[in-house]
Amino acid sequence: MAPLFFLADCNNFYVSCERVFNPSLEGRPVVVLSNNDGCVVARSEEVKALGIPMGAPVFKYRSLLKRHRVRIFSSNYTLYGDMSRRVMSILSRFTPDMEIYSIDEAFLSFPASVPSAPETLAKKMRETVWQWTGIPVSIGIAPTKTLAKAANRIAKSEPEHGGVFALIDPAGTDAWLERIRAGDVWGIGRRREALLKRHGIYTARQLKTVQDDWARRRLSITGLRTVWELRGVSCIPLEEAPPPRKGIISSRTFDRCVERLEALEEAVALYVTRAAEKLRQHHLLAACLQVFLATSPYRDGPRYVNSLTIPLPAPTAYTPFLVTSARRGLREIFRSGYPYKKAGVALLELTSERMRQVSLFPPDSRRDPARDDRLMKAMDAVNVRYGRDTLRVASSGITRPWRSHPSRLSPRYTTRWRDLPVVV
DNA sequence: TCTGGGGTCCTAGGACCC
DNA sequence: TCTGGGGTCCTAGGACCC
């Protein structure tokens, strides 16, 4: 008997996090915005009903948001990350076989023999998460991950099922797949949906019956897997241990255009600082650094997009060296006279710091890497204790006029003492 | 004039996910 | 005026090898 996949997915996760600590938001329209307060990235049901799509640019919907008195929040990733950890740790009590798929979703697998009534088990999971965190979760159950995703969609869209839905019996599954658009299937994005439409394929049910060689040719190997998974053949296994990370990116859109090289250099130095912090947090070293900059893809006028990949002489996590390399790279690709809207860096070719490759020809034999490590440890420790950027490289700027400031941030209720909610 | 076959590796770009 | 950020994987094409 094949195992069953459960997909537990938090409903409107960011909005739900805000509501846990601010019950006055219950039953009212709420959105959470992207990094620059530019786009809508989470919507309450009331907002979905207004027809505001995911990713909607705020400025285009300003009047609609205002008219319906939508409560607007900047994204508070510190809060969402902490709430996510709580939800995941509760889910993990139900099975050791769990894959955390994203900040608000986890796949869990059970041998088909174990849950005699999978829906009952799922309802128990749901109730526990709700009771212990206040976050509503929906759960889809099926013999493949792709079908579990589809089942989850049904659980969410049809509340009469109590937030849990199973697609287990193959005969019944087809009738449900008939009602799901092909573009809503996990793994079918905009481009593939358009291609499918051109071939008369509109529903998940139709997608399931395409010829294998056609799917392989037109949708690539990943698309063929999707088709098989819709048929109930599991092709995408549970990944319990997260695969090693391939890269760390840090980038930001500016809230207005930046033309000066000096400002871009500051921004890039800051992004490198953030990426290097993450690198050390994961006990990794980078052997390669990429720096990129771009004008706005939305504006008319001259466009310029470029990037440069710089191999580093030896794998490192030493911020000052990474900053110097990135700034040098930036100066190479910078062209004056363009209104830049975005810049960023990526750290690539990551290796474990325990496997440090010693160079036969160190770039600077007078430098002692052990000393650099100690300096970074000290800097990280100070910044953890006294707050981010207490110690930083001067090249990342002092006033940082190019930086955007989210204006509708909620308190960090669960991770900062002075933001702790008070019950009166 | 006529110019092989088989293989690996790297990169850029595309597509997808949340 | 104002449009997110951080990831992964796949494919095609070019460079290179013998």
Side-chain angles (χ1 to χ4, degrees), chain A residues 102-134:
Chain A
S102 74
I103 193 165
D104 71 331
E105 277 174 85
F107 286 103
L108 300 94
S109 93
F110 294 92
S113 52
V114 171
S116 53
E119 283 106 325
T120 310
L121 176 64
K123 285 197 170 129
K124 178 80 189 151
M125 292 164 71
R126 216 179 156 264
E127 279 159 23
T128 311
V129 172
W130 170 251
Q131 192 178 349
W132 294 6
T133 65

Side-chain angles (χ1 to χ4, degrees), chain A residues 49-64:
Chain A
L50 292 177
I52 297 179
M54 178 68 175
V58 175
F59 73 92
K60 282 193 186 170
Y61 289 87
R62 179 102 42 212
S63 67
L64 189 62

Side-chain angles (χ1 to χ4, degrees), chain A residues 42 56 80 87 97 192 212 240-241 265:
Chain A
Y80 311 149
V87 170
D97 302 323
R192 298 227 263 234
D212 281 0
E240 288 168 59
E265 283 194 35

Side-chain angles (χ1 to χ4, degrees), chain A residues 18 315 341:
Chain A
E18 298 293 346
K341 189 66 182 162

Side-chain angles (χ1 to χ4, degrees), chain A residues 18 33 37 62 71-75 405-410:
Chain A
E18 298 293 346
L33 305 183
D37 289 352
R62 179 102 42 212
R71 300 288 308 271
I72 301 174
F73 290 87
S74 303
S75 32
H405 298 280
S407 55
R408 301 164 182 275
L409 208 48
S410 54

Side-chain angles (χ1 to χ4, degrees), chain A residues 367-381:
Chain A
R367 274 212 90 78
D368 174 8
R371 205 164 161 259
D372 294 346
D373 284 352
R374 289 199 300 275
L375 180 54
M376 288 301 100
K377 272 211 172 69
M379 189 162 108
D380 291 337

Side-chain angles (χ1 to χ4, degrees), chain A residues 94-393:
Chain A
F94 289 86
T95 171
D97 302 323
M98 174 166 125
E99 171 189 341
I100 296 175
Y101 179 65
S102 74
I103 193 165
D104 71 331
E105 277 174 85
F107 286 103
L108 300 94
S109 93
F110 294 92
S113 52
V114 171
S116 53
E119 283 106 325
T120 310
L121 176 64
K123 285 197 170 129
K124 178 80 189 151
M125 292 164 71
R126 216 179 156 264
E127 279 159 23
T128 311
V129 172
W130 170 251
Q131 192 178 349
W132 294 6
T133 65
I135 300 285
V137 172
S138 299
I139 299 177
I141 306 166
T144 71
K145 281 181 162 181
T146 304
L147 286 172
K149 274 273 193 185
N152 189 283
R153 166 173 284 278
I154 298 165
K156 280 218 175 85
S157 63
E158 307 197 3
E160 61 271 27
H161 301 295
V164 169
F165 194 80
L167 281 175
I168 296 177
D169 137 62
T173 297
D174 273 359
W176 286 103
L177 293 186
E178 192 82 61
R179 297 164 55 176
I180 295 177
R181 289 188 304 127
D184 287 336
V185 172
W186 188 46
I188 304 299
R190 270 213 316 279
R191 303 303 287 266
R192 298 227 263 234
E193 182 183 23
L195 175 98
L196 290 170
K197 271 189 183 151
R198 273 182 264 129
H199 288 83
I201 297 160
Y202 300 94
T203 68
R205 171 75 216 282
Q206 289 175 297
L207 178 57
K208 173 181 167 173
T209 59
V210 299
Q211 300 257 312
D212 281 0
D213 60 342
W214 186 88
R216 175 64 185 86
R217 209 161 8 95
R218 306 306 298 267
L219 306 174
S220 95
I221 186 71
T222 50
L224 179 59
R225 275 201 286 264
T226 299
V227 170
W228 279 45
E229 285 240 322
L230 286 174
R231 294 175 191 158
V233 181
S234 179
C235 307
I236 307 173
L238 195 77
E239 285 183 13
E240 288 168 59
R245 198 184 263 281
K246 301 257 165 80
I248 294 172
I249 296 175
S250 176
S251 72
R252 212 64 7 146
T253 301
F254 309 121
D255 55 358
R256 56 181 68 87
C257 291
V258 172
E259 296 205 14
R260 290 174 41 246
L261 175 61
E262 300 75 56
L264 290 170
E265 283 194 35
E266 283 185 8
V268 161
L270 179 66
Y271 305 152
V272 171
T273 300
R274 292 285 173 266
E277 280 165 0
K278 205 185 231 184
L279 196 61
R280 296 191 293 270
Q281 225 174 357
H282 289 86
H283 304 287
L284 293 168
L285 305 171
C288 190
L289 180 151
Q290 189 178 61
V291 51
F292 56 90
L293 80 175
T295 54
S296 170
Y298 303 104
R299 270 169 59 135
D300 294 333
R303 297 242 193 108
Y304 179 72
V305 176
N306 205 352
S307 72
L308 183 67
T309 306
I310 305 160
L312 301 169
T316 181
Y318 185 59
T319 297
F321 182 74
L322 291 165
V323 166
T324 307
S325 308
R327 292 175 68 200
R328 209 170 39 231
L330 178 71
R331 283 196 289 269
E332 254 181 75
I333 56 174
F334 175 81
R335 300 283 174 276
S336 61
Y338 289 101
Y340 293 103
K341 189 66 182 162
K342 183 174 184 170
V345 299
L347 301 176
L348 304 166
E349 291 177 30
L350 309 185
T351 55
S352 164
E353 67 181 5
R354 287 180 320 220
M355 320 260 288
R356 190 192 291 264
Q357 180 91 43
V358 181
S359 170
L360 198 53
F361 307 103
D364 181 352
S365 54
R366 289 159 305 177
R367 274 212 90 78
D368 174 8
R371 205 164 161 259
D372 294 346
D373 284 352
R374 289 199 300 275
L375 180 54
M376 288 301 100
K377 272 211 172 69
M379 189 162 108
D380 291 337
V382 166
N383 287 337
V384 164
R385 177 145 184 197
Y386 297 102
R388 169 179 270 187
D389 286 342
T390 303
L391 279 181
R392 62 187 195 226
V393 293

